[in-house]
């Protein structure tokens, strides 16, 4: 039996930070309100000439180095992003060229903030079926480009970043299981209601921005990510005490805490890095994973439940041993 296993991780945050105090000068808000409602103190914003593929490349190079492989070993590239550099080619193809790889499949997946979970699921299936042996799976976003910086309801939440893992074939899991869900009935609760095919006027006018029903999204995110914990544990005949860590989508500390409470999880075992980078959408889970491994919080051999939730709605999880 072939399984997949994460053999290396990497992440990157743009240099420029935007603090809550900086936001006070831009919209009618204040640091205390943002901290109390979201737990976010600052977010990173890509430079004008810095694009999603740049963040993806930096995170990928670190993951490749950490895995001890070379670019020529990589036989699959999947990039999860909502904010592709170009309409086409895919950001995965742009990344492939940067890394000097040619031939193996490279493509993007779009599941917004759950994107990394969808990409990991697909890569795991490629490896389990013997179609690939060494996949580069990336979540990268320049979400700041689709934010209305005069809208205090959304601009306090998001930031830019990239995270990557190398996923390799292995005799033992690795990835125990993945679980994906979508429900397009909620398409209007969290969206950018314009694109190249529809309402292109907004794109041309530079007003293709994220809109959100915050309260509704909050409720759904908590429910979906709590249910995912139960579903994932049940599928593996495990109990929450078997887990070393829970890494929920890094959207908001209140959502993360609410999920932890709802599933009765020890708060000390729930990873929250959102406070210093905000919601980086598809980058959020691999960023939190990489940071927690590199700072020694997560140790080799530990069992982690990763989960994402995003616009669509989309939501997904993976149970992994690192
Ligand atoms: N600063 C100060 N006040 C703000 C504000 C801001 N940045 N944003 C909204 N407010 C005001 C509102 O206008 C409202 O004022 P009113 O009572 O006079 O009308 C008040 O604060 C409460 O607003 P409300 O929207 O009810 O706050 P909330 O407790 O629901 O918190 C969010 C708002 C956005 C923080 C919260 O709904 C949330 O986190 N939602 C999930 C968002 C998310 O994670 N999305 C991505 C998922 S992938």
């Amino acid at each position: 039996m072939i399984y997949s296993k994460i053999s290396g991780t990497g992440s990157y945050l743009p240099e420029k930070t935007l603090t809550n105090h900086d936001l006070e000068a831009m919209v009618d808000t204040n640091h205390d309100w943002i901290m109390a409602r979201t737990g976010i103190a600052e977010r990173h914003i890509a430079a004008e000439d810095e694009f999603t593929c740049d963040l993806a490349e930096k995170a990928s190079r670190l993951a490749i180095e950490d895995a001890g492989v070379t670019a020529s070993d990589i036989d699959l590239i999947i990039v999860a992003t909502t904010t592709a550099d170009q309409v086409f080619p895919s950001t995965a193809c742009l990344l492939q060229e940067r890394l000097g790889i040619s031939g193996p499949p490279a493509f993007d997946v779009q599941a917004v903030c759950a994107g990394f979970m969808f990409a990991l699921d697909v890569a795991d299936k490629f490896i389990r079926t013997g179609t690939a042996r060494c996949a580069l799976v990336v979540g990268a976003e320049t979400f700041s480009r689709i934010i209305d910086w005069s809208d205090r309801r959304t601009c306090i939440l998001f930031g830019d970043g990239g995270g990557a893992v190398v996923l390799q074939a292995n005799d033992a899991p690795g990835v125990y299981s993945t679980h994906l869900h979508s429900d397009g009935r909620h398409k209007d609760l969290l969206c950018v209601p314009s694109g190249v095919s529809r309402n292109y006027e907004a794109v041309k006018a530079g007003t293709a921005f994220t809109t959100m029903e915050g309260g509704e999204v909050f409720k759904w995110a908590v429910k979906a990510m709590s249910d995912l914990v139960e579903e994932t544990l049940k599928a593996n005949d495990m109990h929450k005490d078997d887990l070393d860590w829970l890494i929920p989508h890094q959207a908001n500390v209140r959502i993360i805490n609410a999920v932890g409470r709802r599933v009765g999880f020890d708060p000390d075992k729930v990873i929250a890095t959102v406070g210093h980078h905000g919601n980086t959408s598809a980058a959020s889970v691999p960023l939190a994973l990489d940071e927690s491994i590199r700072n020694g919080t997560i140790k080799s051999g530990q069992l982690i439940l990763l989960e994402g939730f995003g616009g669509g709605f989309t939501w997904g999880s993976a149970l992994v041993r690192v």
Side-chain angles (χ1 to χ4, degrees):
M1 185 95 174
I2 312 172
Y3 296 97
S4 74
K5 188 173 196 306
I6 293 174
S7 57
T9 64
S11 63
Y12 176 75
L13 289 165
E15 246 171 63
K16 182 185 165 188
T17 56
L18 188 71
T19 66
N20 293 343
H21 296 297
D22 294 330
L23 282 168
E24 285 173 6
M26 296 161 64
V27 289
D28 180 14
T29 191
N30 62 77
H31 172 76
D32 293 343
W33 192 96
I34 300 173
M35 285 307 288
R37 304 284 173 129
T38 73
I40 298 167
E42 61 179 20
R43 61 291 291 144
H44 292 247
I45 306 294
E48 256 176 53
D49 59 353
E50 195 173 34
F51 308 105
T52 295
C53 190
D54 298 315
L55 314 188
E57 181 187 353
K58 288 191 166 114
S60 296
R61 289 193 186 280
L62 289 168
I64 290 168
E65 186 189 353
D66 187 38
V69 298
T70 60
S72 60
D73 295 318
I74 290 167
D75 55 8
L76 172 68
I77 300 175
I78 308 180
V79 174
T81 189
T82 320
T83 48
D85 284 32
Q86 304 172 197
V87 173
F88 68 86
S90 67
T91 304
C93 282
L94 305 183
L95 176 63
Q96 185 183 39
E97 188 266 341
R98 299 263 189 104
L99 296 174
I101 303 168
S102 60
F107 56 91
D108 289 0
V109 300
Q110 218 291 44
V112 205
C113 300
F116 180 77
M117 304 317 307
F118 279 62
L120 190 68
D121 172 278
V122 174
D124 175 61
K125 288 184 167 72
F126 264 79
I127 289 178
R128 279 179 190 252
T129 56
T131 315
R133 290 196 60 82
C134 184
L136 177 63
V137 187
V138 185
E141 300 276 17
T142 44
F143 224 80
S144 61
R145 307 269 152 81
I146 51 169
I147 293 299
D148 177 354
W149 290 99
S150 66
D151 177 6
R152 68 176 184 171
R153 293 166 303 170
T154 51
C155 75
I156 57 162
L157 297 171
F158 295 93
D160 300 334
V165 304
V166 172
L167 197 67
Q168 288 188 265
N170 202 57
D171 293 339
V175 176
Y176 285 80
S177 69
T178 52
H179 307 267
L180 302 183
H181 298 278
S182 304
D183 188 344
R185 287 176 303 170
H186 307 294
K187 62 186 177 6
D188 299 325
L189 294 179
L190 177 58
C191 64
V192 177
S194 39
V196 289
S197 178
R198 180 182 173 176
N199 194 17
Y200 187 56
E201 293 309 309
V203 177
K204 280 199 288 188
T207 56
F209 295 137
T210 301
T211 62
M212 183 183 71
E213 295 293 334
E216 282 299 306
V217 173
F218 191 105
K219 276 189 275 177
W220 275 96
V222 172
K223 180 173 176 1
M225 286 200 283
S226 304
D227 291 351
L228 270 175
V229 174
E230 306 294 345
E231 178 185 353
T232 311
L233 290 174
K234 197 169 166 207
N236 291 282
D237 204 15
M238 287 188 192
H239 185 263
K240 62 178 187 292
D241 295 341
D242 295 324
L243 294 177
D244 293 297
W245 299 102
L246 174 65
I247 304 187
H249 172 42
Q250 302 294 307
N252 176 330
V253 166
R254 273 169 67 221
I255 293 179
I256 293 171
N257 290 343
V259 171
R261 272 197 309 274
R262 195 162 160 152
V263 295
F265 214 75
D266 177 354
D268 292 340
K269 290 170 139 196
V270 183
I271 303 276
T273 59
V274 64
H276 64 269
H277 55 63
N279 182 349
T280 56
S281 186
S284 116
V285 170
L287 246 172
L289 176 67
D290 178 56
E291 196 174 302
S292 306
I293 289 176
R294 284 179 190 262
N295 69 17
T297 305
I298 293 178
K299 297 185 174 54
S300 179
Q302 290 191 320
L303 191 64
I304 310 157
L305 201 157
L306 311 170
E307 53 176 358
F309 176 87
F313 291 138
T314 52
W315 61 107
S317 66
L319 183 69
V320 302
R321 196 175 290 284
V322 290

